[in-house]
Amino acid sequence: MVILIKTVLGNIGEPAWATRLSTANIDLMEIDQWEAQKSRFRKTTAKGAEVAVSVDRGTHIRDGDVLLWDAQALSALVVRIELRDVMVVHLDGLTSLAPEVAMRTCVEVGHAMGNQHWPALVKDNVVYVPLTVDRKVMTSVMNTHHFEGIRYEFVPGREVVPYLAPHESRRLFGGAEGPVHSHTHESYAGIDETGHAYGHPPLHVHAHSGASSQEQTSPAMTGSAHDHRE
């Protein structure tokens, strides 16, 4: 028997759904970020159910989306999308440099990334670069150039999402972003390996620069998502 999915009910990132699913029996449908761009596809869930997704064109399946909910059985089908890691390049250190030095560094950073054909998204004083090659290669490029006033770090894609608008997330991840909001909270909801809902505090990652490293607090995934999330 194939289960047909025509709409998204909600998202685990929404408080109401996070509470509802905290004691529910959850089956996971794992897809990659390219499948998430499709409006029609078939998958087998973690528990072996055959699912055919056929949503309206323009509707993007997001990480944590709830596709099925049985209130009597307290069971749900939830999407899990593993987003690629992101290199986050911080430009705020350039503000302390002479304008001509800061300008030259920005041009050099852009030239280096373009030369490597790395896609990038610039927002405020931050450049987001999804990993398209091995992390060691990107680290080598950044350290070889030793950009003055620049520091960078690698973070999981889902930790970047709260800092981005929906259209920015789609540019960075190809339509596979998780719950999107314009701000962050101190906790977020997710699904663990056993299929249970949970909440976590913000994670910590380490930043790198050509000369030193320091610990940075990364954003946590949070917010809400619906079928129309612009």
Side-chain angles (χ1 to χ4, degrees):
M1 176 181 173
V2 178
I3 302 172
L4 179 62
I5 304 295
K6 291 186 175 182
T7 187
V8 176
L9 302 179
N11 193 281
I12 184 63
E14 300 170 7
W17 277 107
T19 300
R20 192 175 298 153
L21 298 178
S22 62
T23 57
N25 180 20
I26 297 174
D27 191 4
L28 292 176
M29 185 180 75
E30 299 187 1
I31 62 178
D32 60 38
Q33 58 192 45
W34 310 117
E35 289 174 311
Q37 300 180 61
K38 301 177 181 178
S39 58
R40 289 172 175 76
F41 59 89
R42 293 177 68 129
K43 294 292 290 188
T44 300
T45 71
K47 295 183 178 180
E50 294 293 324
V51 176
V53 174
S54 180
V55 295
D56 293 338
R57 292 187 182 277
T59 298
H60 295 277
I61 300 297
R62 312 290 171 86
D63 185 56
D65 274 353
V66 182
L67 302 184
L68 287 175
W69 169 244
D70 187 328
Q72 291 186 333
L74 288 179
S75 63
L77 174 61
V78 178
V79 175
R80 172 186 284 169
I81 304 173
E82 287 303 321
L83 303 178
R84 71 183 76 180
D85 288 349
V86 176
M87 180 173 71
V88 182
V89 181
H90 300 274
L91 307 178
D92 52 320
L94 298 177
T95 58
S96 62
L97 302 179
E100 60 272 18
V101 176
M103 185 178 299
R104 183 184 69 237
T105 301
C106 285
V107 172
E108 291 173 347
V109 170
H111 181 268
M113 291 183 179
N115 195 43
Q116 296 294 325
H117 302 287
W118 292 346
L121 173 70
V122 181
K123 184 167 185 177
D124 299 325
N125 291 326
V126 178
V127 181
Y128 299 98
V129 185
L131 267 67
T132 55
V133 295
D134 189 270
R135 182 182 298 201
K136 293 180 180 179
V137 174
M138 299 183 80
T139 298
S140 177
V141 171
M142 296 299 289
N143 290 345
T144 297
H145 286 279
H146 191 70
F147 300 111
E148 186 175 358
I150 296 292
R151 59 188 177 87
Y152 68 94
E153 59 185 322
F154 294 97
V155 302
R158 69 178 63 239
E159 294 183 20
V160 171
V161 167
Y163 281 159
L164 307 176
H167 70 280
E168 293 170 330
S169 290
R170 284 194 289 274
R171 284 179 54 194
L172 201 62
F173 298 113
E177 73 272 23
V180 175
H181 235 314
S182 60
H183 59 279
T184 60
H185 296 278
E186 294 183 355
S187 63
Y188 68 91
I191 303 293
D192 64 19
E193 296 297 332
T194 63
H196 291 92
Y198 65 89
H200 278 317
L203 302 178
H204 292 270
V205 297
H206 293 280
H208 304 273
S209 68
S212 63
S213 299
Q214 61 182 7
E215 189 175 50
Q216 298 291 323
T217 301
S218 292
M221 184 183 75
T222 185
S224 60
H226 305 280
D227 283 350
H228 303 285
R229 291 168 243 189
E230 287 296 345

